[in-house]
């Protein structure tokens, strides 16, 4: 798939800018995809992420049962598929098939990677205390993959009501921050 | 200050793209600023936000005590001040003075708005159950302000180690998503 492993200590650099992501899960050999924008880093290493997955979503049920998922980070070329995945439910639709996306095997979890995404983070659920009240899952990234050719990925960032901000230029400032 | 109130039901549109923000707090008439990137929406209305504020930061102490803050959203012009605020501690520095930023009165909280930021969200802490373990505060936005002239704000998004992605173009896709 042309991807390389990416250091866990640098995973925050992929999620902190706030891209829309696609969460994959799998149960009984059947994979699903969910579009998600409500996530934040909680810790650097191991990388811990908090993310909101509504209990109305099919992914919620699978994640509660399997405790595994992959966070896939798409770029602009996939924007229509990202929206399409957000409109349909895995209860009725095989989204990989309908949207022409390719499954690749993960190495630590049973959920598949989306090959077309520029980065993939294999995750397990580590804390469900906030699920009942906020639908907030706390997950740990076990393994990260990246397309090393993409230095400044044109990630998409949801502004609501069909508007997406596309990642622009990257600037460098003298910073001591991690 | 040329700002208008912004509907609470649309606050998610400001935070969901993942901008770096500046959190202001105040205690005993003394205001502080903290740079923050680890935040996510938890609910639409009232807007609930989860954000990580390290217990090493001065802001952590003030927020624990006052339960109030303002999330201020800067744009590219403020990038150097944003980094500067991230490098210094309010324990030793009056950041408003050092970085030449202007305080404006909030209407619901005692923490000030940063006038130079294009949007300001007045917030109160509503849940501290995840603070001990993850430094994760859950806050509610009580009132929102925006500079109505700025349609496509050039927000900055932290990529780590001094790199910031600057918000690029906004595209529209046919979407039924909120």
């Amino acid at each position: 798939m042309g991807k390389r492993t990416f250091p866990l200590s640098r995973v925050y650099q992929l999620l902190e800018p706030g891209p829309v992501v696609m969460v994959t899960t799998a149960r009984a050999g059947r994979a699903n995809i969910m579009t998600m924008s409500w996530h934040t880093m909680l810790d650097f290493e191991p990388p811990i992420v908090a993310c909101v997955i509504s209990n109305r979503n099919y992914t919620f049920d699978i994640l509660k049962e399997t405790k595994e998922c992959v966070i896939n980070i798409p770029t602009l070329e996939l924007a229509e598929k990202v929206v399409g995945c957000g409109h349909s439910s895995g209860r009725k639709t095989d989204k990989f098939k309908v949207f022409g996306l390719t499954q690749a095997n993960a190495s630590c979890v049973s959920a598949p990677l989306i090959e077309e995404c520029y980065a993939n983070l294999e995750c397990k659920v580590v804390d469900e205390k906030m699920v009942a009240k906020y639908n907030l899952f706390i997950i740990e990234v076990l393994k990260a993959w990246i397309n090393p050719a993409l230095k400044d990925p044109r990630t998409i960032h949801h502004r609501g009501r069909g508007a997406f901000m596309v990642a622009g230029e990257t600037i460098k400032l003298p910073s001591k921050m991690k």
Side-chain angles (χ1 to χ4, degrees), chain A:
Chain A
M1 56 189 273
K3 289 205 181 117
R4 287 193 201 146
T5 57
F6 187 72
L8 291 179
S9 60
R10 292 180 57 199
V11 161
Y12 75 97
Q13 299 178 355
L14 306 179
L15 290 180
E16 196 168 315
V20 176
V21 300
M22 302 167 93
V23 178
T24 45
T25 47
R27 184 167 58 177
R30 191 159 161 256
N32 190 34
I33 307 173
M34 190 194 93
T35 298
M36 178 176 82
S37 260
W38 288 10
H39 57 79
T40 179
M41 293 302 302
L42 286 193
D43 210 345
F44 288 106
E45 197 175 4
I48 305 292
V49 177
C51 58
V52 177
I53 292 172
S54 165
N55 55 16
R56 292 186 305 272
N57 285 319
Y58 187 46
T59 293
F60 181 94
D61 298 340
I62 310 177
L63 195 56
K64 284 285 282 183
E65 190 178 317
T66 65
K67 319 290 188 203
E68 293 180 347
C69 66
V70 177
I71 294 178
N72 306 273
I73 310 181
T75 43
L76 181 57
E77 305 75 46
L78 297 177
E80 286 182 17
K81 295 173 197 278
V82 168
V83 171
C85 284
H87 284 170
S88 50
S89 170
R91 287 192 186 89
K92 295 179 186 172
T93 310
D94 177 342
K95 299 195 198 177
F96 273 98
K97 197 171 168 186
V98 167
F99 298 108
L101 293 166
T102 313
Q103 297 184 32
N105 287 332
S107 64
C108 302
V109 300
S110 57
L113 318 178
I114 301 178
E115 196 165 309
E116 289 82 359
C117 286
Y118 97 96
N120 315 88
L121 312 174
E122 303 184 22
C123 302
K124 70 171 179 187
V125 176
V126 291
D127 192 334
E128 296 182 60
K129 284 191 202 74
M130 302 298 264
V131 172
K133 188 163 184 187
Y134 298 107
N135 290 325
L136 187 71
F137 288 86
I138 297 184
I139 62 183
E140 177 182 334
V141 180
L142 305 172
K143 187 142 192 128
W145 301 94
I146 202 161
N147 173 353
L150 220 55
K151 296 299 177 208
D152 291 320
R154 300 203 78 197
T155 48
I156 57 174
H157 300 250
H158 192 226
R159 297 186 64 188
R161 302 179 183 185
F164 293 85
M165 178 271 280
V166 182
E169 60 175 328
T170 287
I171 58 169
K172 283 282 278 180
L173 290 171
S175 170
K176 292 175 283 189
M177 284 186 286
K178 198 170 184 177

